Amino acid sequence: MSSDHPSDHSHPHDHSHPHADDQPGDALSRRRLLQGVGAVGAGLALSPAMGGVAAAAPKGRRPQGDRPGRPYLYLAGDHHVHTKYSSDAVYEVGQHAQKASEYGLDWLVITDHGAVAHQKFSVEQTAQDIAATRAADPELLVYHGLEWNIPGGEHATVFVAPGSRDVATLKQFELDYDGAVLAATGRLSRATENTARAEELAYAGLRYLAAQRAAGAVPDVVMLANHVSRRGVDSPHELRGYRDAADSVGIGMEGAPGHQAAGIPVSAGGIGDDRGFYGNTPNVDSHPGFGRERYFTYGGFDYNVTQVGGLWDSMLAEGLPFTITTTSDAHFVHEERFRRGGEPSQGTSAYYNTTGSYLPPVEDQAPQPTGDFWPGYYGSTLVAATGRSYTAVMEGLRRSRVYAVHGRLVDAVDLRVDATGSNGEKGVTVGERTVARRGSNVAVTISVTLPSQPNFHGDLPVLAHVDLIAGPVTGPAADRDALTAPATRVVETFDVQRAPGRTVKLRYRFRNVTESFYLRLRGSDGRQLDGAGNPLVDVAGDADPWVDLWFYSNPVFVDVV
Amino acid sequence: MTEVLQLGLDPASGEADEREVEHQVQHLLRRLPVRTDLVCTHTVGGAGEPLRTAASVRLLGLEGDALDQVGLLTALVGLWGGAAVLADDSDGPAVEVGPSDFRSGARAAVAQARRGDGGRAVRFPGQDRLSEPLPVAEVPLVSSVHALLPAVGVLAADAVLDPCGYLRPRFMAGRLVLDVRPGPGGTVVPVERASVHACAGH
């Protein structure tokens, strides 16, 4: 199936030459390699072209990257996980780490909610638990983070690379800039109050973090906005503001929220809620320019991302990356048997508020239906990193060398963009930029390794199609609340159903390029699409996430000179 | 008292949560001898200050004659704090009780209610006839909800609305509309829901 080429597309290209040629897959052998590095069952952790080389490299040899053709390690992770140090969660840090490893993750960020009790009591306790977890499993990168109540906005992951003053930095940031703490201490009427003073506190917080990084208090620190469209309180100008407030701290957002089990119907043992716990109506702090269609997930992803030519595209059209990810947001995991330990009174928020913690969880319940999956069980954020290190993963996230994958729809994706116009596969990859001469051709090669093993639901996913999406880079947005990029289009749809485990190569050529543009990918199992190949809105109480699988890439930018 | 009056209420708390305000208003109305067929929440405030939620109540009359208008408002403010405004359909001065800081919110709620724009209806005429699933075409025939507004896509003419026991239509251009979305089993359901389990338990 090929899409029609829209005639008004602003960067010229004539005909593509897509074809899919099967190649023998070797995902299994790579998976065995992975088992040697502690990523058992990942299946998602390596780029087919490059990752195997890196994983097999002798110990101590630092894989190279950041230049076209150099190998990256593809490291799977989750930047949004809650523990007993959140007033609404239950698990130990170590439990999440164990599950993350079991489900193939290489990195994990602990992000308990910002709150007065958390700031006062929880941060050091969390640091101790993380230190113990790192010692127990050195292969898993466990970051210390926070789910920040952005003043005037949504929640966000903030996390740091380990450093001499990481705990102090997190504590001071939470004390001075967390919306819940600000509200509790009378500095805001409420965390989300939609005022200029609240927004300025958010930007000041990001500048504080950047200053701590510059001063060496933490080796690195980044922020990603979470469940962005859930309540409509992250306006377009706020998202741009997070990006621009401080150098390289506000780097992106969840392209897909966690809580992906929440839409499982009651008849199937779920809670029958909205996928992602979306499905809200605007409140007094919601951005008035948002229509009600934005408040739902579509194929499990946020409308900012699923709308071709939507808000995310309008930011990419500025020529700047803004990384999208997927996370678990795990609080209580679907069909698990844990409850908070101790007496009933010790499982209450009143207890939490005096301790910043709950007692160790006890596994003595009947399996409980909830909205969450364990980290890695459903979603993976795949980061192309120059090495298996805390700072390398963060830099990969910052540079948008990232794929967001649900349900192991693909074992690996390797997007290559070659501005020399040859069919070479050594072009730049996701998150990178390349320069093309005006009037030249730009070749795109997409290598997709189809899954060879069932996902954690026991299904062998079938990738039905891949869309190549592109749009012109038009420079800084004149309207900071712009939420559309009208010239961004699906330029090609590839039908890719092939045998499991095979690597499919898809090719496309932009001809006679005349202006700078970006391109990105999405793919799905093809079971829930509208007539234009877009994801359907997730139905209230009837959104089984396992029969609606998608992956999204971040962009490649092509600067035409 | 037989004339129709608009009562505006602005809680002193600066409360933003419209569900919290509607809960407070419903509680209040149960304690006062008033009859009403329309209760709405309204977003008020702004101009650099945080927005908040106020309420309006269309009064059909007082039960008995125990309270005059000032007495009613004084009782309301005494129970709830904030400010209360009572206005009839004329452009004459309204009766106002409470701190001036909050009278503006109560006045804004009354103004929105009069315009039929911006209110979110907690109670509305015909509400009790929308308790069971029914064809969407019947909704305006049995209630004051004028139309269903799909948040996504288009609404099929033969679609069935499952009210899920919770309806909060809103006023647009003088008419009540209900935001709906695809629901289980091909139904449409209100976008705003009281509890997911109340509706999605299929």
Side-chain angles (χ1 to χ4, degrees):
Chain A
M1 179 174 70
S2 291
S3 65
D4 293 330
H5 291 183
S7 58
D8 61 345
H9 196 266
S10 59
H11 53 87
H13 56 271
D14 47 16
H15 301 290
S16 67
H17 300 278
H19 66 275
D21 39 290
D22 287 357
Q23 294 185 338
D26 55 355
L28 184 59
S29 61
R30 288 194 189 99
R31 189 162 294 105
R32 287 180 180 139
L33 276 176
L34 276 173
Q35 289 175 351
V37 295
V40 178
L44 285 165
L46 295 177
S47 128
M50 302 299 171
V53 176
K59 196 172 182 181
R61 175 180 158 192
R62 183 181 173 82
Q64 295 174 297
D66 284 337
R67 280 186 288 163
R70 293 295 186 179
Y72 287 116
L73 277 173
Y74 276 75
L75 299 178
D78 183 338
H79 67 71
H80 189 175
V81 171
H82 293 268
T83 75
K84 67 180 184 181
Y85 300 118
S86 286
S87 64
D88 58 355
V90 61
Y91 302 114
E92 302 278 7
V93 171
Q95 281 181 283
H96 276 305
Q98 187 178 359
K99 290 295 185 181
S101 287
E102 183 180 341
Y103 296 126
L105 298 189
D106 302 282
W107 57 273
L108 180 70
V109 186
I110 303 302
T111 53
D112 289 304
H113 291 289
V116 170
H118 180 270
Q119 195 279 334
K120 199 171 177 181
F121 303 118
S122 310
V123 183
E124 283 95 347
Q125 296 181 67
T126 307
Q128 289 174 11
D129 287 3
I130 288 175
T133 303
R134 287 171 178 159
D137 183 2
E139 292 292 341
L140 182 70
L141 303 173
V142 184
Y143 291 92
H144 195 170
L146 164 74
E147 187 163 32
W148 179 34
N149 296 289
I150 309 172
E154 255 299 345
H155 299 173
T157 289
V158 167
F159 69 102
V160 296
S164 59
R165 284 179 279 160
D166 51 6
V167 171
T169 297
L170 286 169
K171 282 198 75 168
Q172 193 66 44
F173 171 74
E174 187 173 352
L175 181 65
D176 290 340
Y177 300 107
D178 184 83
V181 175
L182 291 167
T185 52
R187 286 172 284 173
L188 290 176
S189 65
R190 55 187 175 273
T192 57
E193 77 163 42
N194 187 14
T195 58
R197 69 172 181 176
E199 289 180 20
E200 183 46 44
L201 280 165
Y203 307 144
L206 293 167
R207 289 193 294 270
Y208 167 81
L209 293 173
Q212 296 308 301
R213 182 186 179 210
V218 289
D220 204 353
V221 55
V222 298
M223 170 273 203
L224 297 120
N226 292 338
H227 37 72
V228 177
S229 295
R230 182 178 64 163
R231 295 178 293 176
V233 295
D234 274 346
S235 64
H237 73 263
E238 286 172 295
L239 292 171
R240 289 183 168 91
Y242 307 151
R243 181 193 64 190
D244 300 339
D247 183 33
S248 302
V249 175
I251 63 167
M253 61 184 173
E254 287 179 342
H259 304 309
Q260 290 282 328
I264 297 174
V266 171
S267 60
I271 57 172
D273 204 317
D274 267 289
R275 197 169 177 180
F277 289 137
Y278 274 42
N280 295 302
T281 49
N283 63 47
V284 300
D285 291 322
S286 300
H287 177 59
F290 284 154
R292 297 199 172 216
E293 72 282 0
R294 309 189 76 90
Y295 290 72
F296 311 110
T297 55
Y298 294 69
F301 279 70
D302 190 287
Y303 190 74
N304 287 342
V305 170
T306 62
Q307 184 188 21
V308 175
L311 177 48
W312 185 44
D313 281 318
S314 80
M315 295 179 73
L316 299 181
E318 296 183 60
L320 299 172
F322 198 65
T323 304
I324 64 159
T325 62
T326 181
T327 72
S328 67
D329 203 353
H331 287 69
F332 283 84
V333 171
H334 185 50
E335 296 180 331
E336 282 291 352
R337 304 172 57 246
F338 291 93
R339 65 170 172 85
R340 294 180 185 133
E343 300 298 317
S345 64
Q346 293 171 307
T348 62
S349 59
Y351 179 83
Y352 173 88
N353 289 340
T354 60
T355 60
S357 175
Y358 293 111
L359 296 171
V362 176
E363 190 177 13
D364 65 357
Q365 305 287 289
Q368 301 291 309
T370 70
D372 310 347
F373 292 123
W374 287 113
Y377 189 85
Y378 184 73
S380 285
T381 295
L382 280 176
V383 178
T386 54
R388 187 179 288 272
S389 76
Y390 286 95
T391 53
V393 169
M394 295 173 83
E395 189 60 13
L397 280 164
R398 174 179 288 115
R399 295 194 180 205
S400 281
R401 295 193 303 256
V402 174
Y403 297 94
V405 185
H406 279 174
R408 292 182 62 178
L409 177 60
V410 292
D411 265 7
V413 185
D414 191 30
L415 168 64
R416 294 284 158 174
V417 179
D418 187 345
T420 68
S422 74
N423 273 337
E425 295 169 18
K426 293 182 179 176
V428 299
T429 191
V430 64
E432 297 180 331
R433 309 185 81 97
T434 189
V435 177
R437 288 193 178 283
R438 196 176 309 279
S440 67
N441 298 335
V442 174
V444 178
T445 306
I446 309 157
S447 301
V448 184
T449 303
L450 304 175
S452 58
Q453 292 186 347
N455 59 27
F456 295 113
H457 191 247
D459 310 322
L460 185 63
V462 176
L463 179 68
H465 76 90
V466 172
D467 288 331
L468 174 62
I469 296 166
V473 170
T474 52
D479 175 6
R480 301 278 286 180
D481 273 324
L483 44 68
T484 60
T488 297
R489 296 276 191 275
V490 175
V491 297
E492 191 65 55
T493 295
F494 303 96
D495 222 351
V496 291
Q497 293 192 34
R498 293 291 187 277
R502 290 193 169 253
T503 296
V504 179
K505 286 192 185 298
L506 313 168
R507 301 184 197 280
Y508 185 85
R509 189 179 297 268
F510 293 91
R511 293 188 186 276
N512 186 28
V513 297
T514 59
E515 60 183 328
S516 298
F517 65 101
Y518 70 92
L519 59 94
R520 62 182 181 91
L521 306 175
R522 71 176 179 189
S524 88
D525 60 3
R527 283 183 278 188
Q528 297 191 46
L529 306 177
D530 69 13
N534 295 308
L536 299 177
V537 67
D538 289 313
V539 171
D542 190 10
D544 181 345
W546 297 104
V547 296
D548 189 16
L549 302 178
W550 289 79
F551 84 84
Y552 284 74
S553 83
N554 279 276
V556 172
F557 290 97
V558 181
D559 297 319
V560 176
V561 295
Chain B
M1 184 169 94
T2 56
E3 61 186 329
V4 174
L5 297 172
Q6 280 290 353
L7 174 65
L9 297 164
D10 188 5
S13 60
E15 178 64 54
D17 186 344
E18 51 197 12
R19 293 190 181 207
E20 175 59 28
V21 171
E22 81 172 60
H23 173 76
Q24 293 175 9
V25 172
Q26 302 257 47
H27 180 70
L28 207 56
L29 292 175
R30 280 194 292 272
R31 300 174 64 182
L32 292 170
V34 297
R35 288 189 293 117
T36 176
D37 65 344
L38 184 62
V39 177
C40 294
T41 59
H42 303 268
T43 299
V44 301
E49 292 299 310
L51 295 171
R52 61 190 189 273
T53 299
S56 70
V57 180
R58 184 162 73 186
L59 292 180
L60 300 177
L62 299 175
E63 293 174 359
D65 55 0
L67 293 172
D68 61 13
Q69 293 185 4
V70 173
L72 171 66
L73 298 195
T74 303
L76 278 168
V77 170
L79 285 167
W80 197 19
V85 168
L86 194 63
D88 60 22
D89 288 336
S90 73
D91 291 330
V95 180
E96 300 184 354
V97 172
S100 57
D101 287 355
F102 295 101
R103 292 186 188 184
S104 62
R107 280 198 294 265
V110 167
Q112 288 184 28
R114 280 178 162 172
R115 288 199 309 271
D117 208 10
R120 165 181 165 277
V122 176
R123 197 184 299 180
F124 55 92
Q127 191 170 21
D128 58 353
R129 300 184 69 179
L130 299 177
S131 57
E132 299 294 331
L134 76 169
V136 297
E138 291 184 16
V139 172
L141 304 178
V142 302
S143 75
S144 56
V145 175
H146 174 72
L148 276 61
L149 191 61
V152 180
V154 296
L155 190 63
D158 59 351
V160 169
L161 170 71
D162 183 348
C164 303
Y166 188 85
L167 295 166
R168 294 294 181 271
R170 59 187 169 123
F171 276 101
M172 291 177 66
R175 289 174 159 167
L176 270 182
V177 298
L178 180 68
D179 295 290
V180 296
R181 57 179 295 199
T187 60
V188 297
V189 297
V191 171
E192 183 171 349
R193 292 181 289 160
S195 155
V196 293
H197 302 292
C199 178
H202 297 215

